[in-house]
Amino acid sequence: MTRERRILHVDMDAFYASVEQRDNPSLRGKPVVVGGDTRGVVAAASYEARVFGIRSAMPMRDALRRCPNLNRVPPRMSHYQAVSNEVFAVFREFTPLVEGLSLDEAFLDVTESLQLFGDDVTIAREIKNRIRERTQLTASVGVASNKLVAKIASDLEKPDGLVVVTQDNMRATLDPLPVQVIPGIGKETLARLKRIPVNTVEDLRLASDRDLEPIFGKFTRRTRDRASGIDDRPVLSSRPDKSISAEETFDKDLGDRRDMHRHLLQLAERTAGRLRAKDLVAGTVQIKIRQADFTTCTRQRALRPPGNGTETIYQAAIKLLDEWLAEFPGIPVRLLGVGGCELARDAQPDLFAPELPAGGSQLDQAVDRIRNRFGDLSLGRARSMDPGQIR
Amino acid sequence: MKLTVGREALLKPLQAVIGVVERRQTMPILANVLLVAKNGEVAVTATDLEVELVAVAEVQVHTAGEVTVPGRKLLDICRALPDNAEISISQSGEKLSVKSGRSKFSLTTLPAAEFPTIDDINAGQSISVSQGTLGRLLEKTHFSMAQQDVRYYLNGLLLETSGTSLRTVATDGHRLALCEAELGKKMPDQQVIVPRKGVLELQRLMGGEGELKVELGSNHVRIQLEGIRFTSKLIDGRFPEYERVIPQDTKNALTADRGLFRAALQRTAILSNEKYRGIRLMIRENAMTLQAHNPEQEEAEEELEIQYTGEEIEIGFNVNYLLDALGAIESEEITLSLVDGNSSCLLRKPGKDDCKYVVMPMRL
């Protein structure tokens, strides 16, 4: 029998919002959300904002309705990326097996680290301490024998929590929780379960196959395993980014080509900046177009050589958009997105421009530095500006 | 048009030109070949608007004429007929009839007048060169051409006349290959960029002996081979100043056995990252260590004896670029000249400058 694994799930508390409150003392203690304009969605909400029922992914309009005094901060993705790098560096001081789920969340397999650093609780405390010392931010940690339970545990005592689940207290911890803590149970499934009735994890664990099979089909067994806290998925380190993208929902649907180009440039600037922050180049550029009627399509083209320059990404994106516009002229557009995929490390300098990153330029690097300090809206190409926005 | 021809005599020109008959053509007529029958021969022309090939076969012309027919279908029919079959081709209305023995085919046609051809290229100079020499110039450099690069002028091969030498240069921005041949005759200095497609097609046609005539116009290059005329549009752009990126300071130069170096690289490469193909070379007095590792934490290490007295240097490369260059150099030993761990290196045959391979290092 193999030794029981010790898995940590570390989740930064209200990450983007906390970074903003840390960097700007006037925001501390106040409801803060990070997100774009009034038609966008909330990317992160501070705990003060959550009191009003504001959650991430909520439309900004709803958030403002719930809390008219809400402090809205434009996102600084490349800055969050840099803070995230500091946090992940702490993780790697304890184990090479780090599976990042996003900028602010990761699984760590510390099974082999116990001999070096002490038991799982000691490691979890030390990780929280080091994160606080280096970034002045708090994290919540769940400790368990697998990813499923660790993730559920990290959420139980947020913020600044530390919850340890062992074989002895597993049932007592999981059983009373609402059934939707089990991943894969969405709105539809939840409604069907309520009818059986299955409300808690315990209900699910004890429900009969006859009741569950119509709902979960061949996943019945796996679902019951999850309800019993069984999960043997490994922690996959070096899970590389598949794509990096930025998108925007507009206040008013766009019909004018020049307006679309202007927004495309802003999006290209954000995507390219994030690629550069991660030292990656994209081999494919993708755009996403959502029409006013919510029909959504994506178009992509290869980028040779792979690049991360704002102008390079932008040129590829407008070619794609113009091709789409030629096919669907005059259709109002609700959302545009620009992404890079087929990502690779920016490892091969060019013979004719050895000092530059692929496709990047000194201008891009200077813009990145300024945006890191003053926010994504602090500096941009004039062509990407709304004439009314320039003061 | 009416003619009679043996299967093999018609097969040869069709096979020669079929490479430029586009499969996904933008204009329907580009799927066709142009047949022009007169004076005891038929000329078969195919084009993709960038490269044009004309191949000639001796036939019995009963009635002169010209027409276009689907190229791949005509080739497939000829190929499928029995050996030494006699084929008679005749035009009737808008169809072309192809008969042989008991087989009969009727192909659609499009008017010859609509077929885009390149007639006069307004050649500024004409160079006489042996097929072997031109073939070598292409073979030693073509692999470094870029592919679908946004810097469109890199998606081809530079053909340059300079003094009495003819030179080819190809680069994808990561590595560069240069090869030159002494023609012993003064020529006007000229640079043209032949598109990638044209270079690959030309290589397919070469292999024979004898002299070639290379004509350079301002927009086209035309090469007359035995029975085949090759014409390619040129890439309208400025090739980068390649001389600037060829390292001149060669104080850290090592000499190694080409075969041993190549084999060591090939073995080490097995455990390099499949995506980046990175390999680390650690060079010190008379010895080189080659190292590679992959995301699975597997590692390879090789020791190689070399002749070297320069500074100790550690440098990373995409191993494919080194292997391509070593494959192209024709000598027992090679010289690898380095400046430092961040600058490009130069590979060539010791003491020879006619073929040069420049490779930019990788950050490992």
Side-chain angles (χ1 to χ4, degrees), chain B residues 37-73:
Chain B
K38 63 179 178 199
N39 306 333
E41 52 177 47
V42 64
V44 183
T45 307
T47 182
D48 62 7
L49 297 180
E50 191 170 63
V51 180
E52 177 193 271
L53 293 177
V54 186
V56 180
E58 281 183 22
V59 299
Q60 269 183 284
V61 179
H62 309 296
T63 317
E66 48 185 54
V67 71
T68 79
V69 285
R72 277 181 199 282
K73 289 175 190 160

Side-chain angles (χ1 to χ4, degrees), chain A residues 187-199 211 215:
Chain A
K187 237 194 234 161
E188 301 264 313
T189 318
L190 186 62
R192 295 178 71 182
L193 286 172
K194 292 230 146 124
R195 260 177 264 141
I196 301 180
V198 165
N199 291 306
D211 286 339
I215 299 175

Side-chain angles (χ1 to χ4, degrees), chain B residues 314-325:
Chain B
E314 192 173 324
I315 190 165
F317 288 108
N318 178 324
V319 67
N320 292 358
Y321 298 160
L322 295 182
L323 286 171
D324 281 346

Side-chain angles (χ1 to χ4, degrees), chain A residues 238 279-280 302-305 312 342-352 354 356-358, chain B residues 147-151 171 173-176 240 244-245 275-276 318 321 344 358 360-363:
Chain A
S238 78
D279 204 20
L280 291 172
L303 200 58
R304 295 289 177 271
T312 317
E342 255 190 78
L343 304 181
R345 214 159 47 80
D346 181 12
Q348 178 70 65
D350 197 89
L351 270 172
F352 300 100
L356 295 180
Chain B
Q147 211 166 350
Q148 295 178 301
D149 199 300
V150 287
R151 296 165 291 184
T171 178
H174 297 163
R175 35 73 180 271
L176 176 144
R244 195 167 57 80
V245 302
K275 192 161 161 193
Y276 302 106
N318 178 324
Y321 298 160
S344 57
V358 181
M360 193 67 191
M362 243 180 129
R363 288 187 283 266

Side-chain angles (χ1 to χ4, degrees), chain B residues 265-279:
Chain B
L265 285 169
Q266 278 163 336
R267 282 189 298 266
T268 314
I270 297 169
L271 297 186
S272 73
N273 185 315
E274 283 170 37
K275 192 161 161 193
Y276 302 106
R277 304 290 286 160
I279 192 164

Side-chain angles (χ1 to χ4, degrees), chain A residues 71-341:
Chain A
N71 293 280
R72 276 187 290 147
V73 184
R76 296 187 289 162
M77 293 314 294
S78 48
H79 180 56
Y80 308 145
Q81 177 69 57
V83 181
S84 170
N85 290 346
E86 287 182 69
V87 173
F88 274 67
V90 171
F91 301 158
R92 297 203 175 87
E93 288 167 15
F94 291 91
T95 172
L97 292 174
V98 177
E99 177 179 341
L101 300 176
S102 61
L103 290 187
D104 59 345
E105 202 187 334
F107 286 117
L108 283 64
D109 185 335
V110 297
T111 314
E112 303 298 333
S113 316
L114 300 175
Q115 288 165 301
L116 285 169
F117 301 105
D119 65 10
D120 47 8
V121 183
T122 311
I123 292 177
R125 280 215 189 91
E126 190 54 30
I127 286 176
K128 282 165 59 91
N129 286 342
R130 289 191 195 179
I131 290 175
R132 186 180 295 115
E133 278 165 23
R134 292 184 210 171
T135 68
Q136 293 88 53
L137 297 170
T138 61
S140 293
V141 182
V143 184
S145 60
N146 61 49
K147 291 181 9 176
L148 169 82
V149 181
K151 178 151 173 134
I152 293 173
S154 72
D155 206 37
L156 293 179
E157 285 180 15
K158 267 182 157 294
D160 204 13
L162 170 56
V163 175
V164 182
V165 180
T166 60
Q167 286 307 330
D168 297 336
N169 69 358
M170 173 117 82
R171 282 221 170 135
T173 311
L174 295 185
D175 275 357
L177 296 175
V179 70
Q180 58 265 39
V181 301
I182 304 294
I185 296 185
K187 237 194 234 161
E188 301 264 313
T189 318
L190 186 62
R192 295 178 71 182
L193 286 172
K194 292 230 146 124
R195 260 177 264 141
I196 301 180
V198 165
N199 291 306
T200 63
V201 174
E202 180 176 26
D203 295 343
L204 182 64
R205 182 165 61 81
L206 298 176
S208 72
D209 277 355
R210 213 189 50 202
D211 286 339
L212 293 185
E213 252 157 22
I215 299 175
F216 294 104
K218 61 178 178 180
F219 298 116
T220 303
R221 166 104 194 253
R222 204 179 71 187
T223 306
R224 197 191 302 283
D225 280 353
R226 297 277 190 265
S228 316
I230 297 170
D231 173 23
D232 53 13
R233 290 172 301 160
V235 171
L236 299 171
S237 59
S238 78
R239 203 177 67 159
D241 286 306
K242 285 252 163 59
S243 70
I244 282 181
S245 60
E247 57 182 51
E248 188 183 357
T249 307
F250 306 114
D251 286 337
K252 250 172 49 197
D253 295 337
L254 298 186
D256 183 64
R257 209 180 79 130
R258 280 165 311 176
D259 282 345
M260 295 188 210
H261 281 192
R262 195 155 48 72
H263 285 283
L264 223 46
L265 179 55
Q266 291 173 11
L267 293 165
E269 196 139 43
R270 271 160 61 190
T271 299
R274 289 173 61 190
L275 285 167
R276 294 192 292 268
K278 290 195 159 195
D279 204 20
L280 291 172
V281 288
T284 299
V285 173
Q286 193 173 52
I287 62 164
K288 179 168 163 186
I289 303 158
R290 179 166 296 148
Q291 302 171 17
D293 67 359
F294 279 85
T295 316
T296 307
C297 81
T298 59
R299 293 281 171 101
Q300 58 178 50
R301 65 184 291 140
L303 200 58
R304 295 289 177 271
N308 59 20
T310 298
E311 204 58 37
T312 317
I313 305 276
Y314 172 59
Q315 289 304 335
I318 50 173
K319 269 196 195 121
L320 288 165
L321 180 72
D322 286 350
E323 280 166 23
W324 184 85
L325 286 172
E327 250 177 87
F328 303 98
I331 291 185
V333 169
R334 180 187 160 81
L335 169 150
L336 283 175
V338 174
C341 35

